[in-house]
Structure formats: C-alpha cells, structure tokens
Amino acid sequence: MTALLSVEKLEARHGLLHAVRDVSLEVAEGETVAIVGANGAGKTTLLRSIAGAHRPSGGRVVFAGEDVTRMPAHRRVKRGIALVPEGRRLFPELTVEENLRVAAGVRRPGRWDVDAVLEVFPLLEPLREKRAASLSGGEQQATAIGRALMSNPRLLLLDEVSLGLAPVVVDAVYRSLATLLESGATVLLVEQDLSRALGVADRVVCMLEGRFVLVGTPAELTREQVMEAYFGLRRSAA
Ligand code: ATP
C-alpha cells in the first residue's frame, strides 16, 4: 500500500535546539497513528513541520506522492493536510458556527459541512451561536477539530487532544473521534494520555528527545515497554 503521508529523515530545530532528529514515518490512508512522549520530546514540532507551520532543517515531507517540504501551510491545507494546533487557537469573538465557517476559503470538496460536523460533535449543536471565548475547554477542542474537518482534509493532525480537559469531557471528544475514525479518516495525533492513545490508534510511536524510540501496534506493545520508552528508562539504566 502506498502511504498517504511519508516523512523521511526529518530534522527540525529551534535555533540551536535540535527538536526532531532523523524521524521517518509513513501513514497509510485510513490509518490512525498516535505519537506519545514526554513534554519537550518534539511531538508538536514534528506535527507543525508536517503541517507547514515549522520549517524543517532537513529531510522531506511527502504527501500523496508530492514533496510538500517547502510548501506553505495554506497550500498544504488545500492539498488536504489540516492541523488542530495545541491550545485550539479559535477566534474568541466569533461564534462556534462562525469559527467552523472560517475554513470556507480553503475548503476542498467533500462531505464535511456545518451540519456534518454537528452530527459528529452533538455537544456543539446547542452552542452554535455561542462565542468561542465562552466555551469550556472540551467544547473548544470539539470546535477546533470541527473547524479542521471543514476543510475536508485527507489527513487530520491533532495535537494534544486531551490536554487540560476533564476526563468526562475527554470521553465525549474521543467518542466523536471514534465515529470519525470508523468513517475511514486518516489521523496522526499527539496524545499524552497513554491509555487513550493505545485505545484509539492502529499504531503507536513513542518519541524521546526528538527521536522515535518505539513503534508498534497496541497489540504488540506492552504498557511497560511504552512507559520505558516514554521516560527513557532503559537508556538511563544502561
Ligand atoms: P509538549 O508536550 O511540551 O508540547 P512536545 O513533545 O510537543 O512537548 P515540542 O513542543 O515539539 O515538544 O518541543 C521540542 C523541544 O523544542 C523542547 O525542548 C522545546 O522546549 C523546544 N521548543 C519548542 N518550541 C520552541 C520555540 N518556538 N522556540 C524554542 N524552542 C522551542
């Protein structure tokens, strides 16, 4: 099967800090891949590099057979890459519906419109006319994912899905995500909550200090292995 996304030997820096080191990853159409790892492991920088929000210092990002490494973010959205950034970044003064419609300018043809988003995220239906600033964290996360869907992406990049959300709200967001995944969406997500990541992903990648240190299906990996990779225990014990 040819990969929808192919990341090849990617390197990314923040000044002198080498945040992503020699990372290679393929994501097939319809696959869900979760990236886990401690704070500062480089997960966000990797996702931003794929979306075009951060310029890599080496390697390539190939999407649907096209080298997009140097392509600006807005053009990648048109190609079908949508990022839900850490912190959601909604327009606080706009309503939920207006936030969803903001993506109108970069919409690709496809099944996602306001009604389809509200169907997958029913918690947003009564909030359509509410300003984003007045929403809870979970409602904002749902709106941010909905906004990304409105571009009709082929690949959805989700950063820190459950960060800062109450467990009951995370449950609601993940229920909606499960519906999305069942419909065949291709998703690369960053998740600090290991159980959630193992529960939803076809494949889990563990990142430590900018590198991939463990890759496998949830069935192949034990929780212990992932925890060791997560905190670099094996390395420090050696
Ligand atoms: P977190 O869960 O905390 O977001 P992460 O795994 O997503 O962690 P990144 O945010 O990609 O990691 O950060 C990787 C490294 O790059 C960290 O050491 C971080 O301090 C550094 N870094 C991230 N963004 C910047 C920036 N804009 N300027 C300088 N250094 C940065």
Side-chain angles (χ1 to χ4, degrees):
M1 202 188 321
T2 52
L4 178 61
L5 173 73
S6 190
V7 174
E8 299 169 8
K9 297 182 174 299
L10 202 76
E11 307 277 345
R13 297 166 188 269
H14 298 284
L16 290 177
L17 195 136
H18 201 166
V20 174
R21 299 160 182 255
D22 192 28
V23 160
S24 295
L25 171 72
E26 297 209 326
V27 181
E29 195 124 38
E31 197 180 18
T32 303
V33 178
I35 306 174
V36 301
N39 281 341
K43 308 178 298 291
T44 295
T45 305
L46 172 59
L47 233 53
R48 287 170 52 80
S49 301
I50 296 168
H54 185 89
R55 199 185 179 89
S57 53
R60 298 203 311 157
V61 178
V62 178
F63 183 70
E66 182 182 16
D67 186 339
V68 299
T69 318
R70 303 271 166 241
M71 188 184 279
H74 66 275
R75 283 183 52 210
R76 294 193 208 194
V77 177
K78 288 209 163 150
R79 294 292 197 281
I81 302 178
L83 170 69
V84 179
E86 203 176 355
R88 291 92 178 178
R89 309 244 181 97
L90 297 174
F91 295 97
E93 299 306 320
L94 299 186
T95 66
V96 166
E97 183 162 346
E98 286 165 346
N99 266 285
L100 294 178
R101 292 193 189 280
V102 156
V106 286
R107 271 171 71 77
R108 296 158 32 84
R111 72 181 178 102
W112 292 105
D113 56 18
V114 172
D115 287 340
V117 168
L118 296 179
E119 207 171 294
V120 174
F121 291 97
L123 81 166
L124 294 180
E125 176 64 58
L127 307 172
R128 288 175 89 125
E129 305 304 326
K130 273 200 143 186
R131 287 192 311 131
S134 68
L135 302 179
S136 71
E139 292 160 358
Q140 289 188 16
Q141 184 62 286
T143 307
I145 298 173
R147 182 180 57 183
L149 290 174
M150 289 286 289
S151 67
N152 278 303
R154 294 182 69 185
L155 171 68
L156 189 59
L157 305 170
L158 296 173
D159 201 357
E160 302 283 13
V161 180
S162 55
L163 189 72
L165 304 183
V168 55
V169 180
V170 179
D171 283 345
V173 172
Y174 265 87
R175 266 198 303 278
S176 295
L177 262 185
T179 312
L180 197 62
L181 300 178
E182 277 160 25
S183 73
T186 309
V187 178
L188 180 58
L189 68 107
V190 165
E191 178 54 87
Q192 292 225 358
D193 183 329
L194 204 50
S195 305
R196 301 274 177 193
L198 290 168
V200 78
D202 299 311
R203 241 175 343 131
V204 176
V205 174
C206 198
M207 233 177 144
L208 177 71
E209 294 169 5
R211 296 182 196 280
F212 282 3
V213 289
L214 188 69
V215 183
T217 65
E220 287 165 356
L221 302 173
T222 64
R223 224 189 134 74
E224 205 174 29
Q225 276 177 315
V226 181
M227 289 307 280
E228 275 183 13
Y230 198 104
F231 293 113
L233 296 181
R234 189 165 290 174
R235 251 180 34 149
S236 56

PDB file of all heavy atoms in Angstrom, residues 10-14 17 19-20 41-51 53-54 86 159 207:
ATOM      1  N   LEU A  10      13.370  13.365   8.790  1.00  0.00           N
ATOM      2  CA  LEU A  10      13.090  14.760   9.096  1.00  0.00           C
ATOM      3  C   LEU A  10      13.935  15.275  10.254  1.00  0.00           C
ATOM      4  O   LEU A  10      14.127  14.588  11.259  1.00  0.00           O
ATOM      5  CB  LEU A  10      11.605  14.930   9.442  1.00  0.00           C
ATOM      6  CG  LEU A  10      11.100  16.359   9.251  1.00  0.00           C
ATOM      7  CD1 LEU A  10      10.891  16.661   7.773  1.00  0.00           C
ATOM      8  CD2 LEU A  10       9.812  16.593  10.017  1.00  0.00           C
ATOM      9  N   GLU A  11      14.406  16.505  10.076  1.00  0.00           N
ATOM     10  CA  GLU A  11      15.164  17.192  11.118  1.00  0.00           C
ATOM     11  C   GLU A  11      14.495  18.542  11.326  1.00  0.00           C
ATOM     12  O   GLU A  11      14.149  19.224  10.357  1.00  0.00           O
ATOM     13  CB  GLU A  11      16.612  17.466  10.664  1.00  0.00           C
ATOM     14  CG  GLU A  11      17.373  16.257  10.150  1.00  0.00           C
ATOM     15  CD  GLU A  11      17.982  15.439  11.286  1.00  0.00           C
ATOM     16  OE1 GLU A  11      18.050  15.958  12.421  1.00  0.00           O
ATOM     17  OE2 GLU A  11      18.368  14.284  11.034  1.00  0.00           O
ATOM     18  N   ALA A  12      14.304  18.946  12.589  1.00  0.00           N
ATOM     19  CA  ALA A  12      13.755  20.276  12.841  1.00  0.00           C
ATOM     20  C   ALA A  12      14.436  20.869  14.061  1.00  0.00           C
ATOM     21  O   ALA A  12      14.734  20.167  15.027  1.00  0.00           O
ATOM     22  CB  ALA A  12      12.243  20.201  13.053  1.00  0.00           C
ATOM     23  N   ARG A  13      14.678  22.148  13.985  1.00  0.00           N
ATOM     24  CA  ARG A  13      15.390  22.832  15.068  1.00  0.00           C
ATOM     25  C   ARG A  13      14.638  24.067  15.512  1.00  0.00           C
ATOM     26  O   ARG A  13      13.874  24.654  14.748  1.00  0.00           O
ATOM     27  CB  ARG A  13      16.782  23.277  14.579  1.00  0.00           C
ATOM     28  CG  ARG A  13      17.670  22.129  14.190  1.00  0.00           C
ATOM     29  CD  ARG A  13      18.877  22.630  13.406  1.00  0.00           C
ATOM     30  NE  ARG A  13      19.607  21.498  12.879  1.00  0.00           N
ATOM     31  CZ  ARG A  13      20.604  20.879  13.511  1.00  0.00           C
ATOM     32  NH1 ARG A  13      21.010  21.329  14.690  1.00  0.00           N
ATOM     33  NH2 ARG A  13      21.191  19.835  12.996  1.00  0.00           N
ATOM     34  N   HIS A  14      14.910  24.463  16.747  1.00  0.00           N
ATOM     35  CA  HIS A  14      14.533  25.789  17.231  1.00  0.00           C
ATOM     36  C   HIS A  14      15.849  26.441  17.600  1.00  0.00           C
ATOM     37  O   HIS A  14      16.376  26.176  18.680  1.00  0.00           O
ATOM     38  CB  HIS A  14      13.634  25.703  18.464  1.00  0.00           C
ATOM     39  CG  HIS A  14      12.321  25.007  18.198  1.00  0.00           C
ATOM     40  ND1 HIS A  14      11.286  25.592  17.531  1.00  0.00           N
ATOM     41  CD2 HIS A  14      11.888  23.769  18.515  1.00  0.00           C
ATOM     42  CE1 HIS A  14      10.277  24.753  17.453  1.00  0.00           C
ATOM     43  NE2 HIS A  14      10.614  23.635  18.033  1.00  0.00           N
ATOM     44  N   LEU A  17      18.538  24.375  19.361  1.00  0.00           N
ATOM     45  CA  LEU A  17      17.907  23.170  19.909  1.00  0.00           C
ATOM     46  C   LEU A  17      17.433  22.241  18.791  1.00  0.00           C
ATOM     47  O   LEU A  17      16.681  22.656  17.914  1.00  0.00           O
ATOM     48  CB  LEU A  17      16.723  23.591  20.780  1.00  0.00           C
ATOM     49  CG  LEU A  17      16.222  22.494  21.683  1.00  0.00           C
ATOM     50  CD1 LEU A  17      15.955  23.069  23.065  1.00  0.00           C
ATOM     51  CD2 LEU A  17      14.967  21.874  21.120  1.00  0.00           C
ATOM     52  N   ALA A  19      15.164  19.703  17.833  1.00  0.00           N
ATOM     53  CA  ALA A  19      13.910  19.203  18.409  1.00  0.00           C
ATOM     54  C   ALA A  19      13.427  17.900  17.766  1.00  0.00           C
ATOM     55  O   ALA A  19      12.805  17.070  18.424  1.00  0.00           O
ATOM     56  CB  ALA A  19      12.824  20.266  18.291  1.00  0.00           C
ATOM     57  N   VAL A  20      13.704  17.712  16.460  1.00  0.00           N
ATOM     58  CA  VAL A  20      13.301  16.488  15.757  1.00  0.00           C
ATOM     59  C   VAL A  20      14.527  15.938  15.037  1.00  0.00           C
ATOM     60  O   VAL A  20      15.183  16.662  14.285  1.00  0.00           O
ATOM     61  CB  VAL A  20      12.161  16.769  14.740  1.00  0.00           C
ATOM     62  CG1 VAL A  20      11.844  15.524  13.920  1.00  0.00           C
ATOM     63  CG2 VAL A  20      10.912  17.262  15.464  1.00  0.00           C
ATOM     64  N   ALA A  41       9.493  16.341  23.978  1.00  0.00           N
ATOM     65  CA  ALA A  41      10.059  15.251  23.175  1.00  0.00           C
ATOM     66  C   ALA A  41      10.154  15.614  21.688  1.00  0.00           C
ATOM     67  O   ALA A  41      10.875  14.966  20.938  1.00  0.00           O
ATOM     68  CB  ALA A  41       9.225  13.984  23.345  1.00  0.00           C
ATOM     69  N   GLY A  42       9.388  16.632  21.273  1.00  0.00           N
ATOM     70  CA  GLY A  42       9.445  17.054  19.870  1.00  0.00           C
ATOM     71  C   GLY A  42       8.179  16.750  19.083  1.00  0.00           C
ATOM     72  O   GLY A  42       8.125  16.946  17.872  1.00  0.00           O
ATOM     73  N   LYS A  43       7.138  16.306  19.770  1.00  0.00           N
ATOM     74  CA  LYS A  43       5.904  15.876  19.099  1.00  0.00           C
ATOM     75  C   LYS A  43       5.237  17.041  18.355  1.00  0.00           C
ATOM     76  O   LYS A  43       4.856  16.913  17.203  1.00  0.00           O
ATOM     77  CB  LYS A  43       4.934  15.275  20.130  1.00  0.00           C
ATOM     78  CG  LYS A  43       5.550  14.199  21.000  1.00  0.00           C
ATOM     79  CD  LYS A  43       4.591  13.656  22.039  1.00  0.00           C
ATOM     80  CE  LYS A  43       4.084  14.669  23.047  1.00  0.00           C
ATOM     81  NZ  LYS A  43       5.091  15.163  23.998  1.00  0.00           N
ATOM     82  N   THR A  44       5.101  18.160  19.063  1.00  0.00           N
ATOM     83  CA  THR A  44       4.446  19.323  18.454  1.00  0.00           C
ATOM     84  C   THR A  44       5.259  19.838  17.276  1.00  0.00           C
ATOM     85  O   THR A  44       4.702  20.165  16.217  1.00  0.00           O
ATOM     86  CB  THR A  44       4.271  20.434  19.516  1.00  0.00           C
ATOM     87  OG1 THR A  44       3.374  19.949  20.513  1.00  0.00           O
ATOM     88  CG2 THR A  44       3.708  21.702  18.911  1.00  0.00           C
ATOM     89  N   THR A  45       6.568  19.879  17.436  1.00  0.00           N
ATOM     90  CA  THR A  45       7.423  20.376  16.344  1.00  0.00           C
ATOM     91  C   THR A  45       7.285  19.479  15.117  1.00  0.00           C
ATOM     92  O   THR A  45       7.227  19.966  13.983  1.00  0.00           O
ATOM     93  CB  THR A  45       8.892  20.442  16.805  1.00  0.00           C
ATOM     94  OG1 THR A  45       8.963  21.237  17.997  1.00  0.00           O
ATOM     95  CG2 THR A  45       9.779  21.057  15.740  1.00  0.00           C
ATOM     96  N   LEU A  46       7.190  18.173  15.339  1.00  0.00           N
ATOM     97  CA  LEU A  46       7.015  17.239  14.220  1.00  0.00           C
ATOM     98  C   LEU A  46       5.691  17.502  13.503  1.00  0.00           C
ATOM     99  O   LEU A  46       5.640  17.608  12.272  1.00  0.00           O
ATOM    100  CB  LEU A  46       7.075  15.795  14.736  1.00  0.00           C
ATOM    101  CG  LEU A  46       6.714  14.700  13.737  1.00  0.00           C
ATOM    102  CD1 LEU A  46       7.649  14.741  12.518  1.00  0.00           C
ATOM    103  CD2 LEU A  46       6.768  13.323  14.392  1.00  0.00           C
ATOM    104  N   LEU A  47       4.623  17.622  14.279  1.00  0.00           N
ATOM    105  CA  LEU A  47       3.309  17.856  13.684  1.00  0.00           C
ATOM    106  C   LEU A  47       3.289  19.177  12.907  1.00  0.00           C
ATOM    107  O   LEU A  47       2.758  19.255  11.794  1.00  0.00           O
ATOM    108  CB  LEU A  47       2.247  17.882  14.792  1.00  0.00           C
ATOM    109  CG  LEU A  47       1.056  16.967  14.625  1.00  0.00           C
ATOM    110  CD1 LEU A  47       1.475  15.537  14.384  1.00  0.00           C
ATOM    111  CD2 LEU A  47       0.129  17.037  15.843  1.00  0.00           C
ATOM    112  N   ARG A  48       3.880  20.205  13.507  1.00  0.00           N
ATOM    113  CA  ARG A  48       3.915  21.524  12.856  1.00  0.00           C
ATOM    114  C   ARG A  48       4.757  21.484  11.576  1.00  0.00           C
ATOM    115  O   ARG A  48       4.471  22.198  10.615  1.00  0.00           O
ATOM    116  CB  ARG A  48       4.430  22.584  13.825  1.00  0.00           C
ATOM    117  CG  ARG A  48       3.385  22.951  14.917  1.00  0.00           C
ATOM    118  CD  ARG A  48       3.984  23.823  16.017  1.00  0.00           C
ATOM    119  NE  ARG A  48       4.673  24.988  15.513  1.00  0.00           N
ATOM    120  CZ  ARG A  48       4.099  26.122  15.124  1.00  0.00           C
ATOM    121  NH1 ARG A  48       2.791  26.227  15.213  1.00  0.00           N
ATOM    122  NH2 ARG A  48       4.809  27.123  14.655  1.00  0.00           N
ATOM    123  N   SER A  49       5.785  20.653  11.583  1.00  0.00           N
ATOM    124  CA  SER A  49       6.618  20.527  10.369  1.00  0.00           C
ATOM    125  C   SER A  49       5.831  19.865   9.247  1.00  0.00           C
ATOM    126  O   SER A  49       5.969  20.205   8.077  1.00  0.00           O
ATOM    127  CB  SER A  49       7.874  19.700  10.657  1.00  0.00           C
ATOM    128  OG  SER A  49       8.638  20.300  11.675  1.00  0.00           O
ATOM    129  N   ILE A  50       4.990  18.904   9.617  1.00  0.00           N
ATOM    130  CA  ILE A  50       4.167  18.220   8.604  1.00  0.00           C
ATOM    131  C   ILE A  50       3.108  19.175   8.046  1.00  0.00           C
ATOM    132  O   ILE A  50       2.805  19.177   6.859  1.00  0.00           O
ATOM    133  CB  ILE A  50       3.512  16.955   9.205  1.00  0.00           C
ATOM    134  CG1 ILE A  50       4.585  15.941   9.606  1.00  0.00           C
ATOM    135  CG2 ILE A  50       2.521  16.334   8.225  1.00  0.00           C
ATOM    136  CD1 ILE A  50       4.079  14.798  10.468  1.00  0.00           C
ATOM    137  N   ALA A  51       2.591  20.043   8.933  1.00  0.00           N
ATOM    138  CA  ALA A  51       1.530  20.970   8.521  1.00  0.00           C
ATOM    139  C   ALA A  51       2.070  22.189   7.784  1.00  0.00           C
ATOM    140  O   ALA A  51       1.306  22.917   7.148  1.00  0.00           O
ATOM    141  CB  ALA A  51       0.739  21.419   9.748  1.00  0.00           C
ATOM    142  N   ALA A  53       3.823  24.617   9.438  1.00  0.00           N
ATOM    143  CA  ALA A  53       3.900  25.721  10.392  1.00  0.00           C
ATOM    144  C   ALA A  53       5.322  25.882  10.943  1.00  0.00           C
ATOM    145  O   ALA A  53       5.627  26.869  11.601  1.00  0.00           O
ATOM    146  CB  ALA A  53       2.920  25.489  11.545  1.00  0.00           C
ATOM    147  N   HIS A  54       6.162  24.892  10.695  1.00  0.00           N
ATOM    148  CA  HIS A  54       7.563  24.974  11.116  1.00  0.00           C
ATOM    149  C   HIS A  54       8.415  24.460   9.962  1.00  0.00           C
ATOM    150  O   HIS A  54       8.083  23.451   9.348  1.00  0.00           O
ATOM    151  CB  HIS A  54       7.798  24.114  12.368  1.00  0.00           C
ATOM    152  CG  HIS A  54       9.177  24.249  12.907  1.00  0.00           C
ATOM    153  ND1 HIS A  54       9.523  25.198  13.835  1.00  0.00           N
ATOM    154  CD2 HIS A  54      10.320  23.574  12.622  1.00  0.00           C
ATOM    155  CE1 HIS A  54      10.811  25.098  14.114  1.00  0.00           C
ATOM    156  NE2 HIS A  54      11.318  24.123  13.387  1.00  0.00           N
ATOM    157  N   GLU A  86      -2.090  22.734  19.191  1.00  0.00           N
ATOM    158  CA  GLU A  86      -2.117  22.740  20.653  1.00  0.00           C
ATOM    159  C   GLU A  86      -2.725  24.075  21.080  1.00  0.00           C
ATOM    160  O   GLU A  86      -2.395  25.117  20.520  1.00  0.00           O
ATOM    161  CB  GLU A  86      -0.653  22.665  21.122  1.00  0.00           C
ATOM    162  CG  GLU A  86      -0.469  22.144  22.499  1.00  0.00           C
ATOM    163  CD  GLU A  86       1.019  22.004  22.835  1.00  0.00           C
ATOM    164  OE1 GLU A  86       1.880  22.229  21.955  1.00  0.00           O
ATOM    165  OE2 GLU A  86       1.294  21.679  23.985  1.00  0.00           O
ATOM    166  N   ASP A 159      -3.105  17.814  17.746  1.00  0.00           N
ATOM    167  CA  ASP A 159      -2.072  17.985  18.761  1.00  0.00           C
ATOM    168  C   ASP A 159      -2.693  18.029  20.154  1.00  0.00           C
ATOM    169  O   ASP A 159      -3.599  18.832  20.392  1.00  0.00           O
ATOM    170  CB  ASP A 159      -1.295  19.279  18.494  1.00  0.00           C
ATOM    171  CG  ASP A 159       0.068  19.259  19.170  1.00  0.00           C
ATOM    172  OD1 ASP A 159       0.372  18.280  19.881  1.00  0.00           O
ATOM    173  OD2 ASP A 159       0.823  20.220  18.994  1.00  0.00           O
ATOM    174  N   MET A 207       8.118   8.960  21.208  1.00  0.00           N
ATOM    175  CA  MET A 207       9.195   9.897  20.900  1.00  0.00           C
ATOM    176  C   MET A 207       9.932  10.272  22.167  1.00  0.00           C
ATOM    177  O   MET A 207       9.318  10.500  23.211  1.00  0.00           O
ATOM    178  CB  MET A 207       8.570  11.148  20.283  1.00  0.00           C
ATOM    179  CG  MET A 207       9.173  11.550  18.974  1.00  0.00           C
ATOM    180  SD  MET A 207       8.349  12.953  18.250  1.00  0.00           S
ATOM    181  CE  MET A 207       9.794  13.726  17.531  1.00  0.00           C
TER     182      MET A 207
END
